[in-house]
Amino acid sequence: MAERRMISKSLLMDNKFLSLSNDTKALYIYLLSFADDDGIVKRSMMIDSVLRVDDENYSALEKNGLIIPDHNDQIKVITDWNSLQSIRKDIYRQTTYLEVRSQLFMRTDYSYTKDPNDKNVFSSADDWIKNGRPKDITDFKPLIQQHLNDRNGIRNDDRNGVRNLSIDQYSLDQRSIDQDSTAQQRAEKGNKDQHRATTTQQRSSNGGMGEILLSDHRSTSTKYNNATTENGVNSGEDNGVNQDAENNFKLDPERTQEIASLFDSLNQSFDVNLSVDDERLRMLFDNLLNQYKIGYIENGLIELSESAGSQNKGNVKSLVVNHLSETVKSLLTN
């Protein structure tokens, strides 16, 4: 947990805050200071005794909408956490209270709510955080509509064959959504690329013709990272990593966010700073995302880190490459 938190003048001037008693104001500031990077904090006997506060003070904060209670009365969520705090991606650590966070939703002012039917909700908190916690979204309407569709059991790809839209695609620095990228078109493109690669001919040094035979095991997934290229991949497979993927393949923005999120989880779990540009780990995560939901892989990283103990960067990479796949599989079978 961070040693410093921000307290803005806008908070101190807010009527919801000013209407509180002085001891309740002090309690709120203490909760801000001790909350984790997702704005979730556990009630502390130490704080209660130092400030001489009780249930009435917590109830006052809840009544004014400054905190959200959990069914576990000891856990509190700072409602306006994301507007009050700015935490860099490279130092952000997700909460340990994942079950609490899974019940939260994001409003268009980036505050939390537990009401999924709030007209201003545009995403679950988990999805917003997975997509990098963007605060520069310029058009919430499509995201609000997608949230409503998901709540009603209607997915974008069920309605018109278009993949679901990720939050960051409505950010200020993102391009507009490519509505032509349907699952069928991606499959057809993959088949054409594979056919073209397997029939490519190359002249040998003595002037003869030699046919280049490529493995049929190359990855056909387009849900990867962003539209960049990968080079220098070795052939063969290594503990779930498809090493024979075609060079220079096009990467998908939705998969970009998933893999970036997994790198964040890896770095947080092992307390390292491995780069998202690490090709071997990217290939591993892409392969696993074709088989498992991202939450299962994140749990696998946590389990692997807890069983491994202290590791340096090189050992962490080797450990993850060689054992993450089997760890995820074992978690699902236990």
Side-chain angles (χ1 to χ4, degrees):
M1 184 178 68
E3 293 296 321
R4 297 177 179 84
R5 295 301 186 195
M6 293 181 288
I7 300 177
S8 66
K9 289 190 291 185
S10 61
L11 166 64
L12 300 178
M13 297 297 291
D14 191 297
N15 288 335
K16 292 188 298 183
F17 181 79
L18 291 172
S19 64
L20 300 170
S21 63
N22 286 338
D23 53 354
T24 305
K25 289 175 185 173
L27 172 60
Y28 184 64
I29 292 174
Y30 264 76
L31 293 178
L32 277 177
S33 300
F34 282 88
D36 61 30
D37 286 356
D38 285 322
I40 303 174
V41 59
K42 186 174 183 180
R43 184 171 175 175
S44 167
M45 292 178 62
M46 180 273 291
I47 294 176
D48 289 1
S49 61
V50 168
L51 300 180
R52 298 180 180 179
V53 296
D54 53 28
D55 291 345
E56 289 187 8
N57 300 100
Y58 285 93
S59 296
L61 291 175
E62 294 171 14
K63 182 178 179 181
N64 282 32
L66 294 173
I67 64 172
I68 301 171
D70 184 59
H71 62 83
N72 178 349
D73 190 51
Q74 300 301 304
I75 307 299
K76 311 296 179 183
V77 179
I78 308 297
T79 307
D80 297 314
W81 175 260
N82 297 299
S83 59
L84 295 174
Q85 306 296 322
S86 296
I87 302 173
R88 298 199 323 264
K89 185 175 182 180
D90 60 324
I91 62 174
Y92 163 80
R93 289 181 177 274
Q94 73 173 351
T95 183
T96 58
Y97 301 109
L98 295 178
E99 182 179 354
V100 176
R101 196 182 73 183
S102 69
Q103 302 169 31
L104 300 175
F105 296 88
M106 300 300 303
R107 302 178 77 253
T108 54
D109 60 357
Y110 302 106
S111 64
Y112 289 129
T113 180
K114 276 193 170 183
D115 181 9
N117 298 315
D118 186 312
K119 66 179 181 179
N120 292 313
V121 165
F122 68 89
S123 171
S124 69
D126 282 347
D127 284 346
W128 180 72
I129 291 168
K130 181 184 72 174
N131 281 283
R133 300 175 293 136
K135 293 184 182 179
D136 54 359
I137 301 172
T138 58
D139 185 4
F140 287 98
K141 291 181 180 179
L143 294 172
I144 292 174
Q145 185 59 54
Q146 179 175 317
H147 169 73
L148 292 174
N149 290 341
D150 290 342
R151 293 291 299 170
N152 294 325
I154 304 173
R155 297 179 63 86
N156 285 355
D157 49 3
D158 291 335
R159 291 184 295 121
N160 55 19
V162 180
R163 60 177 168 80
N164 282 339
L165 312 178
S166 59
I167 292 172
D168 68 316
Q169 289 171 295
Y170 294 98
S171 298
L172 187 62
D173 60 347
Q174 297 293 323
R175 296 182 178 180
S176 60
I177 299 165
D178 181 6
Q179 294 291 341
D180 294 326
S181 180
T182 65
Q184 181 178 357
Q185 289 170 325
R186 293 197 299 269
E188 291 175 353
K189 182 180 184 301
N191 290 336
K192 290 178 181 178
D193 290 345
Q194 183 174 359
H195 176 72
R196 184 162 53 249
T198 55
T199 56
T200 301
Q201 290 186 324
Q202 179 182 32
R203 289 190 178 275
S204 62
S205 59
N206 61 5
M209 294 293 291
E211 186 176 21
I212 302 174
L213 300 178
L214 299 179
S215 169
D216 289 333
H217 297 293
R218 75 171 49 84
S219 171
T220 57
S221 170
T222 57
K223 288 181 60 182
Y224 195 60
N225 263 306
N226 50 17
T228 59
T229 59
E230 296 285 334
N231 295 305
V233 185
N234 296 325
S235 62
E237 295 186 356
D238 182 8
N239 292 286
V241 182
N242 188 338
Q243 298 278 331
D244 196 34
E246 183 178 359
N247 289 345
N248 301 321
F249 57 86
K250 195 172 184 180
L251 306 175
D252 184 273
E254 184 177 350
R255 185 57 64 92
T256 297
Q257 295 300 324
E258 293 176 326
I259 291 179
S261 179
L262 288 175
F263 269 94
D264 286 345
S265 296
L266 184 155
N267 288 329
Q268 292 161 21
S269 298
F270 289 92
D271 195 22
V272 294
N273 189 27
L274 293 172
S275 171
V276 72
D277 294 326
D278 189 298
E279 180 177 305
R280 196 173 189 190
L281 288 173
R282 284 156 63 104
M283 291 294 294
L284 169 64
F285 290 150
D286 182 50
N287 184 278
L288 290 175
L289 285 166
N290 289 334
Q291 304 173 59
Y292 308 107
K293 293 181 179 179
I294 188 170
Y296 298 148
I297 305 173
E298 290 173 336
N299 289 339
L301 286 167
I302 295 172
E303 176 69 16
L304 192 57
S305 68
E306 292 176 349
S307 63
S310 178
Q311 299 280 340
N312 60 38
K313 285 188 180 181
N315 288 339
V316 167
K317 178 177 176 180
S318 176
L319 180 71
V320 171
V321 168
N322 291 316
H323 298 290
L324 179 57
S325 180
E326 62 189 56
T327 301
V328 175
K329 187 182 297 183
S330 68
L331 287 175
L332 292 175
T333 56
N334 287 340

